[in-house]
Amino acid sequence: MTIEAFGITDMGLKRTNNEDAYVAKPEMGFCALADGMGGAAAGEIASRVFVDTSQEVFSAHDQFSLDEGSSLIQKVFSLANQRILDHVMDYPQHKGMGCTAELIAFAGDSFILGHMGDSRTYRLRQGELKQLSRDHSLVQDQLDQGIITPEQAKNHAHKNVILRAVGVDINPALDIIRGKMFPGDLFLLCSDGLSDMVDDDAIASVLSTSADLEEMGTELIEAAKRGGGKDNITVVLVLIE
């Protein structure tokens, strides 16, 4: 199987800077995305630390097994987490900075996904869109407990309260999801600037077209803007061929 990838990021319509960052390196066996938080330019530093750390760790490995890929992902999150914490020690004015992050790696006929926060990873397979990640957010927890309904979640006052992020705690819990890949699988990594503005049905509709990855990515950005464009928007698409 061969892997094709495309990434795109946009400031959106309301923000004055872009705190998202991404890297799409299918030739190195991985793609990553991070959504910074913290303000005072610190968010964009955190997201850049994460994607730079991803490139650094994976650049030392041309090929890797499923277990090795999982270890590399854990290393990226751990190292990036410590680097962000160290940065805050040196620059106390950046206290509270961090990022949500998605990192997907490919080993043979399998994928490994590392996930922390409320950025998301989806997979389109045979026309069916599935969210592989689970939001680490207050709203998601309340949904899981049946405290609120999906309709209430859409406009919840605490929609942006994140329970896990890179660079906030000393040892944050990391979700690792592994699974098989098949030709035709299409993965979407995105910041919440997309998922908050465009519902899953609309995302599936774009991904189910015959457009190429660049056209799909551009259309998802434009759809988020039409939905309000309230946040930075970042999309990474990965096609298994």
Side-chain angles (χ1 to χ4, degrees):
M1 288 184 280
T2 59
I3 302 171
E4 179 186 355
F6 172 77
I8 184 171
T9 187
D10 191 280
M11 192 164 63
L13 302 177
K14 305 295 184 181
R15 299 296 181 93
T16 57
N17 67 322
N18 194 341
E19 294 187 321
D20 290 359
Y22 76 90
V23 57
K25 294 285 186 180
E27 69 278 8
M28 293 170 61
F30 85 99
C31 294
L33 173 152
D35 180 352
M37 57 190 208
E44 59 197 52
I45 295 172
S47 60
R48 178 50 56 186
V49 166
F50 184 83
V51 298
D52 287 350
T53 301
S54 300
Q55 292 194 82
E56 176 188 326
V57 170
F58 276 87
S59 65
H61 299 80
D62 293 334
Q63 293 183 333
F64 43 85
S65 68
L66 194 60
D67 287 342
E68 289 168 340
S70 296
S71 296
L72 290 173
I73 288 175
Q74 290 170 336
K75 181 177 180 180
V76 169
F77 276 85
S78 176
L79 188 55
N81 191 73
Q82 189 58 54
R83 287 174 171 174
I84 294 170
L85 291 173
D86 289 346
H87 174 91
V88 173
M89 289 289 289
D90 294 335
Y91 300 91
Q93 68 270 29
H94 289 166
K95 181 176 174 61
M97 71 182 279
C99 65
T100 66
E102 307 292 296
L103 197 169
I104 192 166
F106 307 97
D109 63 353
S110 300
F111 71 88
I112 315 108
L113 172 66
H115 161 72
M116 193 179 295
D118 67 347
S119 291
R120 292 181 177 178
T121 297
Y122 294 89
R123 181 191 63 209
L124 184 78
R125 174 178 288 170
Q126 297 181 339
E128 181 181 347
L129 186 71
K130 179 180 181 180
Q131 183 179 333
L132 300 177
S133 58
R134 175 189 170 278
D135 294 352
H136 299 140
S137 67
L138 178 63
V139 167
Q140 183 64 53
D141 268 13
Q142 292 185 341
L143 270 172
D144 292 345
Q145 296 175 54
I147 297 172
I148 60 173
T149 66
E151 285 303 314
Q152 290 173 323
K154 289 180 180 179
N155 298 301
H156 198 284
H158 301 297
K159 189 176 179 64
N160 295 319
V161 177
I162 308 304
L163 302 182
R164 291 191 225 168
V166 185
V168 176
D169 298 316
I170 295 176
N171 292 303
L174 170 65
D175 287 357
I176 296 281
I177 301 107
R178 310 202 302 189
K180 293 292 186 181
M181 303 185 302
F182 297 93
D185 282 356
L186 178 59
F187 294 90
L188 164 66
L189 284 64
C190 65
S191 61
D192 65 342
L194 176 72
S195 55
D196 281 352
M197 297 292 103
V198 185
D199 65 31
D200 287 3
D201 287 343
I203 290 173
S205 179
V206 173
L207 299 185
S208 298
T209 66
S210 59
D212 62 28
L213 296 188
E214 182 174 355
E215 291 169 333
M216 288 181 189
T218 301
E219 174 54 28
L220 288 172
I221 296 288
E222 292 305 312
K225 288 183 175 180
R226 290 194 297 271
K230 295 178 181 178
D231 200 352
N232 306 144
I233 314 152
T234 303
V235 167
V236 176
L237 292 164
V238 186
L239 177 63
I240 310 303
E241 299 179 301

